[in-house]
């Protein structure tokens, strides 16, 4: 809430001041203290109801109508003020609280009078009250003798017939209009469905009270009521309080209906699939007959859950259709009780919630789709890389390696053909060439194995790991339990991870013992490489270890490195492995 | 001694054939695929077939399959010498699972040493074995932990490795530049240390040593 709309708090000191002035006035008039206190508490409670609504529903205009009614309540009490301008004003503008409360009633619950007849009644009421106030201001001629009221000093009219006419019209018109308000509100209530009635019932209490007040006032005559019986006066006073607070409580309950929307959003956020939307909406809006009909692109129509097209005109009386659209595209319609429209904010909130949910579900589906796509393509890249490595290895094997062996063999044969009668230096050169080729072959073999070990695709992970450990040049304890060959990409990841771990250990750890454990359990291939070296290994970007982490992630695995300085290193890799 | 050579690379095959011929061995058949190899062995019944481990059609481990089918068809009458660009201990272990007699498994580069090659061919042809030193090295390494191999002196270890390769006392002696008599003494000491029954038969001796090296017990 911003600074600017804090000013209604001024009502608190204002109403206390007015109450104090009223108290002084009534004390001066020597009114029974019980009656005085009724007047004060009634006015204060009505203003409080208005402020209460303002605090809880700041956007609902009912709050100021009710607060104003509270202040208006006090006005009439200054009719007998010794200060003439005050008594004239009080006499002219007393009892407006009835009109203001009727206004709030008709505007309930939205804060605006939505029906034409409601507006007509309200206009009539304002007209009646204005007529009365103006005629009291300008036409009234009180009897001087009684020392009661005041002398008309604005217009030179000596005949009081006009004033009496207006008073009579008001005397009949006001209760009639109030009966009209009763009829309107009751009719609204009778036509409403269950949720509608729940919303309107406070107004029904309020309108019944207000009508009772007005009828009591009219039948008994205002002055008679006040003068004759303090008890009756108290009942009437507190009836006003009942009117104001019924509306306040009703609006707060409306707020609770709104909070059902909040619950709805929360519920949808939890597991927001549009399938569950319908029932959730029905719960949130308290309308079990509510239907959510999604738009079907294929049918070019809204369809029910059996897939048949919905006829928008077939829902009958008492049903309303609220459309949900997004970027001018139809999304769904909600078919619900028409009474829910009496609080348009509620329906708007629900529509927004549904739209958000559908947006959210769409976005989530889109993100999941993209993520799945990215994961799949990442796995494909790894697989393609492996396939490429296999191909390079095979090309080296069948090409360069084979040619080098053949060439070396040819040189060997050339030396043999030359026989004994050849320059010994030629023989040495040939022998040297064969030796060089042999070393080239060794290097090429290591290179090819580093690219992709043939044994991995030929004999599987177990043999490949054993071979790796054989060639590592490290004292390794090997524990392997892999009853079934894992998928190719998993096996390759496991192999290269162990290879990288052993390389790392050999290069950096100065370890005396290394343990390699590769065990399949519960559908996971768990690979642990530990050493007792000096630790401090990190999987920094670009390092071989971070490559292992990336590879592991690409096949849906997890890589973990624990390498405190001076306390050995532990690589752990968990890979999903269908063959458990 | 009659030989069949099977390798899919024609130039290498030709070179190998020539090398063998120079060494006084008779090449009676050649093959470039696995099926041809089996067929050639069937028709010529050689003393030894030299097989490339990778051959068409799939270029993976055809050689091992061919070896297996020749072994089941001809028993140990036909010695089998597998050549490979890589030697893998697990292949050797598989190969030796059904016995070491008449089996050889060498790195392809070994053909560049004609003496070593012909020695191996002869051993395999005579029911012995020729296992690549790299395989033996790995077996020794695997076995060294928690075993009696720790008790061997370096010299004893060298002799054991040469024995495991399938070498005769004579070739061990010449390879290590010691007398055959010394080889015999060292051999019996090794057998004692490893708690193995001494066996004068060189072929059975290899078998015992390889079995020991492949064993998983702590003996």
């Amino acid at each position: 809430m911003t600074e600017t709309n804090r000013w209604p708090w001024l009502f608190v000191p204002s109403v206390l001041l007015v109450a104090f002035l009223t108290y002084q006035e009534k004390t001066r008039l020597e009114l029974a203290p019980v009656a005085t206190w009724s007047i004060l508490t009634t006015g204060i409670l009505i203003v409080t109801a208005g402020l209460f609504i303002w605090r809880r529903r700041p956007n609902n205009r009912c709050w100021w109508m009710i607060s104003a009614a509270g202040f208006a309540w006090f006005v009439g009490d200054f009719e007998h003020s010794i200060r003439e301008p005050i008594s004239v004003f009080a006499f002219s503008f007393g009892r407006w609280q009835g009109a203001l409360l009727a206004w709030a009633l008709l505007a309930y619950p939205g804060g605006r009078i939505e029906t034409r007849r409601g507006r007509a009644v309200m206009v009539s009421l304002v007209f009646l009250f204005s007529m009365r106030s103006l005629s009291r201001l300008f036409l009234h001629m009180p009897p001087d003798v009684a020392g009661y009221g005041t002398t008309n000093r604005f217009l030179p009219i000596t005949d009081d017939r006009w004033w009496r006419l207006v008073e009579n019209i008001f005397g009949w018109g006001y209760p009639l209009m109030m009966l009209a308000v009763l009829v309107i509100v009751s009719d609204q209530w009778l036509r409403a469905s269950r949720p509608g009635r729940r919303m309107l019932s406070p107004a029904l209490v309020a309108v019944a009270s207000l009508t009772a007040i007005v009828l009591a006032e009219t039948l008994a005559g205002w002055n008679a009521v006040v003068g004759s019986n303090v008890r009756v006066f108290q009942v009437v006073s507190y009836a006003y309080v009942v009117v104001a607070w019924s509306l306040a409580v009703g609006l707060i309950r409306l707020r609770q209906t709104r909070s059902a929307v909040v619950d709805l959003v929360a519920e949808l956020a939890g597991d927001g699939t549009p399938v569950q939307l319908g029932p959730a909406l029905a719960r949130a809006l308290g309308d079990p007959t509510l239907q959510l009909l999604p738009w079907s692109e294929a049918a070019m129509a809204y369809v029910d859950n059996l897939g048949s097209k919905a006829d928008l005109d077939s829902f009958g009386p008492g049903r309303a259709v609220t459309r949900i659209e997004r970027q001018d595209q139809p999304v769904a319609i909600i078919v619900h009780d028409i009474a829910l429209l009496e609080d348009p904010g509620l329906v708007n909130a629900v529509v927004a919630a549904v739209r958000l949910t559908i947006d959210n579900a769409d976005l989530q589906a889109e993100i999941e789709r993209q993520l799945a796509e990215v994961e799949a393509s990442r796995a494909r890249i790894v697989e393609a890389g492996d396939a490429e490595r296999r191909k390079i290895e095979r090309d080296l094997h069948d090409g360069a390696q084979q040619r080098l062996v053949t060439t070396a063999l040819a040189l060997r044969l050339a030396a043999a053909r030359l026989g004994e009668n050849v320059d010994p230096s030629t023989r040495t050169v040939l022998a040297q060439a064969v030796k060089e080729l042999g070393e080239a072959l060794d290097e090429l073999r290591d290179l090819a194995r580093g690219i992709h070990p043939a044994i991995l695709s030929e004999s599987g992970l177990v043999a490949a790991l054993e071979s790796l450990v054989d060639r590592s040049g490290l004292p390794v304890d090997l524990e392997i339990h892999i009853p079934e060959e894992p998928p190719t990409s998993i096996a390759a990841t496991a192999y290269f991870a162990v290879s990288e771990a052993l390389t790392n250990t050999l290069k950096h750890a100065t370890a005396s013992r290394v343990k390699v454990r590769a065990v399949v359990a519960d559908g996971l291939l768990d690979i642990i490489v530990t050493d007792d070296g000096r630790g401090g290994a990190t999987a920094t970007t670009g390092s071989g270890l971070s490559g292992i982490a990336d590879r592991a992630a690409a096949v849906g695995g997890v890589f973990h490195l624990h390498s405190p300085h001076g306390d050995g290193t532990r690589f752990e890799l968990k890979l999903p492995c269908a063959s458990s | 001694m009659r030989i069949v050579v099977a390798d899919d690379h024609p130039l290498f095959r030709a070179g190998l054939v020539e090398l063998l011929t120079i060494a006084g061995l008779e090449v009676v058949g050649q093959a470039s695929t696995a099926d041809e190899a089996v067929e050639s062995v069937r028709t010529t019944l050689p003393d030894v077939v030299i097989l490339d481990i990778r051959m068409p059609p799939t270029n993976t481990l055809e050689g091992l399959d061919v070896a297996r089918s020749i072994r089941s068809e001809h028993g140990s009458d036909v010695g089998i010498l597998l050549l490979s660009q890589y030697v893998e201990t697990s292949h050797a272990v598989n190969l030796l699972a059904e016995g070491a007699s008449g089996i050889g498994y060498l790195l392809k580069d070994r053909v560049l040493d004609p003496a070593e090659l012909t020695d191996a061919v002869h051993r395999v042809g005579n029911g012995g074995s020729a296992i690549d030193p790299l395989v033996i090295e790995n077996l020794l390494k695997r076995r060294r932990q928690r075993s009696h191999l720790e008790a061997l002196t370096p010299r004893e270890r060298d002799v054991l490795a040469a024995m495991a390769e399938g070498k005769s006392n004579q070739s061990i002696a010449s390879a290590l530049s010691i007398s055959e008599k010394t080889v015999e003494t060292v051999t019996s000491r090794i057998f004692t240390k490893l708690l193995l029954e001494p066996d004068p038969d060189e072929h059975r001796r290899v078998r015992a040593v390889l079995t020991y090296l492949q064993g998983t017990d702590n003996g």
Side-chain angles (χ1 to χ4, degrees):
Chain A
M1 199 165 289
T2 57
E3 282 304 311
T4 47
N5 48 16
R6 282 195 175 177
W7 59 268
W9 284 123
L10 289 175
F11 285 14
V12 176
S14 306
V15 76
L16 291 175
L17 178 66
V18 171
F20 177 69
L21 294 174
T22 309
Y23 172 75
Q24 281 195 321
E25 173 73 9
K26 293 298 171 189
T27 315
R28 187 184 64 80
L29 291 176
E30 295 178 347
L31 192 71
V34 186
T36 307
W37 283 112
S38 297
I39 291 167
L40 299 186
T41 47
T42 299
I44 290 171
L45 283 172
I46 296 173
V47 173
T48 313
L51 282 174
F52 187 59
I53 297 167
W54 166 68
R55 286 298 295 153
R56 302 293 290 267
R57 295 284 309 268
N59 297 324
N60 192 302
R61 303 195 307 171
C62 285
W63 78 267
W64 69 257
M65 298 169 199
I66 291 174
S67 300
F71 284 104
W73 162 261
F74 287 111
V75 169
D77 292 311
F78 292 91
E79 270 180 14
H80 310 295
S81 172
I82 45 169
R83 291 183 191 80
E84 250 185 28
I86 292 177
S87 64
V88 170
F89 175 81
F91 179 60
S92 303
F93 292 96
R95 288 184 80 191
W96 268 86
Q97 72 269 19
L100 288 162
L101 287 175
W103 192 347
L105 251 171
L106 289 170
Y108 178 87
R112 271 172 210 280
I113 304 175
E114 303 281 353
T115 60
R116 192 179 295 173
R117 54 185 184 170
R119 277 194 292 274
V121 167
M122 195 60 227
V123 167
S124 307
L125 272 171
V126 170
F127 178 74
L128 281 171
F129 271 84
S130 306
M131 284 272 296
R132 174 171 172 271
S133 291
L134 289 174
S135 95
R136 285 191 169 192
L137 201 56
F138 294 113
L139 302 177
H140 178 57
M141 282 192 301
D144 287 348
V145 253
Y148 167 106
T150 184
T151 319
N152 177 14
R153 46 179 69 183
F154 296 111
L155 289 172
I157 294 172
T158 53
D159 189 344
D160 68 354
R161 274 181 304 171
W162 296 106
W163 174 69
R164 286 186 191 285
L165 179 65
V166 172
E167 288 288 315
N168 278 331
I169 293 172
F170 181 83
W172 287 101
Y174 179 38
L176 275 177
M177 284 304 122
M178 209 39 93
L179 280 172
V181 173
L182 177 70
V183 169
I184 288 172
V185 174
S186 309
D187 182 51
Q188 230 178 340
W189 188 85
L190 283 172
R191 284 160 180 261
S193 63
R194 221 176 51 167
R197 284 184 180 184
R198 198 182 51 199
M199 197 164 65
L200 288 174
S201 50
L204 202 61
V205 173
V207 79
S209 306
L210 193 56
T211 316
I213 295 166
V214 173
L215 290 180
E217 284 173 353
T218 307
L219 291 176
W222 176 245
N223 293 332
V225 171
V226 180
S228 66
N229 194 326
V230 173
R231 289 250 170 264
V232 175
F233 173 72
Q234 274 182 309
V235 169
V236 169
S237 303
Y238 289 130
Y240 274 115
V241 176
V242 168
V243 174
W245 275 97
S246 301
L247 295 180
V249 167
L251 287 169
I252 300 321
R253 270 183 39 184
L254 204 64
R255 168 87 175 190
Q256 284 166 347
T257 322
R258 289 282 178 92
S259 78
V261 179
V262 176
D263 293 345
L264 171 70
V265 172
E267 184 176 348
L268 296 178
D271 187 21
T273 52
V275 182
Q276 286 124 14
L277 260 176
L281 282 177
R283 273 196 300 282
L285 294 176
D287 178 3
T289 59
L290 180 141
Q291 276 179 286
L292 179 76
L293 305 177
W295 175 261
S296 160
E297 253 340 296
M300 289 303 282
Y302 297 100
V303 291
D304 60 22
N305 47 13
L306 298 173
S308 49
K309 289 186 189 182
D311 178 5
L312 295 194
D313 300 323
S314 70
F315 298 118
R319 309 296 291 164
V321 173
T322 300
R323 289 165 196 275
I324 304 173
E325 292 178 344
R326 188 160 52 109
Q327 289 160 3
D328 294 332
Q329 297 296 310
V331 172
I333 49 171
I334 307 174
V335 183
H336 55 84
D337 196 298
I338 203 160
L340 294 175
L341 290 178
E342 313 226 342
D343 181 8
L346 178 65
V347 176
N348 287 343
V350 166
V351 168
V354 171
R355 197 163 31 212
L356 278 175
T357 307
I358 291 171
D359 274 358
N360 191 37
D362 285 357
L363 278 175
Q364 201 170 334
E366 175 65 14
I367 286 170
E368 278 169 8
R369 195 189 60 72
Q370 284 184 1
L371 187 63
E373 177 62 32
V374 167
E375 280 176 350
S377 78
R378 187 164 64 161
R380 279 199 301 276
I381 288 169
V382 167
E383 274 169 30
D386 284 348
E388 194 58 33
R389 280 161 163 257
R390 262 199 305 280
K391 188 176 171 301
I392 292 171
E393 187 273 336
R394 190 155 294 181
D395 288 350
L396 281 177
H397 180 279
D398 297 338
Q401 277 175 289
Q402 187 75 13
R403 274 176 213 285
L404 282 178
V405 176
T406 308
T407 309
L409 190 58
L411 287 174
R412 188 57 90 194
L413 285 169
R417 281 180 196 166
L418 286 172
E420 298 301 321
N421 47 359
V422 74
D423 180 8
S425 67
T426 309
R427 197 175 280 285
T428 315
V429 168
L430 283 174
Q432 192 63 36
V434 171
K435 189 165 168 278
E436 284 293 321
L437 284 171
E439 276 162 22
L441 271 168
D442 283 341
E443 284 170 15
L444 198 55
R445 206 177 352 258
D446 286 345
L447 178 66
R449 208 197 299 266
I451 292 169
H452 185 91
I455 190 170
L456 182 59
S457 33
E458 289 169 358
S459 304
L461 182 58
V462 176
L465 287 178
E466 283 173 347
S467 165
L468 185 61
V469 166
D470 282 346
R471 282 175 288 103
S472 69
L474 284 162
V476 177
D477 278 341
L478 186 60
E479 183 191 345
I480 299 186
H481 178 73
I482 303 174
E484 234 178 282
E485 183 65 11
T488 321
S489 58
I490 300 294
T493 305
Y495 176 87
F496 286 116
V498 173
S499 173
E500 185 59 39
L502 290 179
T503 306
N504 213 69
T505 303
L506 189 64
K507 272 195 202 157
H508 307 296
T510 55
S512 65
R513 291 235 54 89
V514 184
K515 265 181 92 164
V516 175
R517 188 173 178 274
V519 172
V520 173
D522 301 327
L524 275 183
L525 170 56
D526 192 12
I527 293 176
I528 302 173
V529 181
T530 47
D531 68 48
D532 60 355
R534 63 179 176 205
T538 51
T540 46
T541 314
S543 73
L545 292 178
S546 84
I548 294 306
D550 290 346
R551 249 205 98 109
V555 295
V558 185
F559 174 67
H560 183 70
L561 176 65
H562 179 69
S563 186
H565 275 283
D567 196 22
T569 298
R570 178 187 162 98
F571 305 84
E572 181 159 12
L573 190 65
K574 283 184 191 297
L575 301 171
C577 183
S579 54
S580 55
Chain B
M1 195 161 269
R2 303 168 72 249
I3 316 287
V4 165
V5 175
D7 193 295
D8 62 310
H9 199 274
L11 280 177
F12 178 82
R13 201 169 61 227
L16 186 55
V17 168
E18 189 172 345
L19 200 69
L20 291 167
T21 313
I22 290 171
L25 300 162
E26 185 192 357
V27 177
V28 295
Q30 297 188 30
S32 61
T33 67
D35 293 344
E36 280 175 37
V38 173
E39 189 53 40
S40 178
V41 167
R42 192 174 293 144
T43 50
T44 59
L45 283 176
D47 296 308
V48 177
V49 55
I50 301 178
L51 290 166
D52 185 2
I53 210 163
R54 261 198 207 187
M55 274 190 291
T58 66
N59 281 311
T60 52
L61 297 173
E62 276 75 9
L64 285 177
D65 298 337
V66 171
R68 223 165 279 132
S69 67
I70 290 174
R71 191 38 52 114
S72 68
E73 197 173 326
H74 307 285
S76 50
D77 293 345
V78 178
I80 298 163
L81 178 56
L82 281 155
L83 297 181
S84 173
Q85 302 267 27
Y86 306 98
V87 293
E88 292 292 357
T89 311
S90 61
H91 294 344
V93 169
N94 285 341
L95 203 56
L96 296 170
E98 292 157 32
S101 79
I103 292 289
Y105 177 51
L106 292 179
L107 195 60
K108 215 165 191 177
D109 305 16
R110 308 291 176 209
V111 304
L112 299 179
D113 185 342
E116 199 179 340
L117 177 67
T118 46
D119 183 41
V121 171
H122 279 290
R123 261 149 52 203
V124 171
N126 292 324
S129 37
I131 309 301
D132 199 275
L134 284 175
V135 173
I136 304 303
E137 193 185 306
N138 284 336
L139 285 175
L140 280 169
K141 217 163 21 182
R142 286 187 188 180
R143 196 71 171 106
R144 188 165 307 156
Q145 294 151 24
R146 301 184 311 263
S147 84
H148 298 292
L149 286 179
E150 299 281 8
L152 299 186
T153 64
R155 166 53 53 91
E156 286 164 357
R157 215 169 288 161
D158 290 345
V159 173
L160 177 71
M163 257 196 308
E165 284 174 39
K167 285 181 173 163
S168 62
N169 282 358
Q170 193 194 338
S171 58
I172 294 172
S174 72
L176 299 178
S177 312
I178 49 176
S179 72
E180 274 194 65
K181 189 78 193 152
T182 315
V183 173
E184 275 169 31
T185 322
V186 174
T187 307
S188 66
R189 233 182 13 240
I190 292 170
F191 273 70
T192 313
K193 282 190 179 174
L194 299 185
L195 310 173
L196 294 176
E197 285 292 315
D199 195 329
D201 181 285
E202 287 178 350
H203 293 168
R204 288 209 301 265
R205 188 180 72 181
V206 173
R207 180 80 199 268
V209 171
L210 284 175
T211 309
Y212 175 79
L213 290 181
Q214 291 173 49
T216 50
D217 61 296
N218 291 329

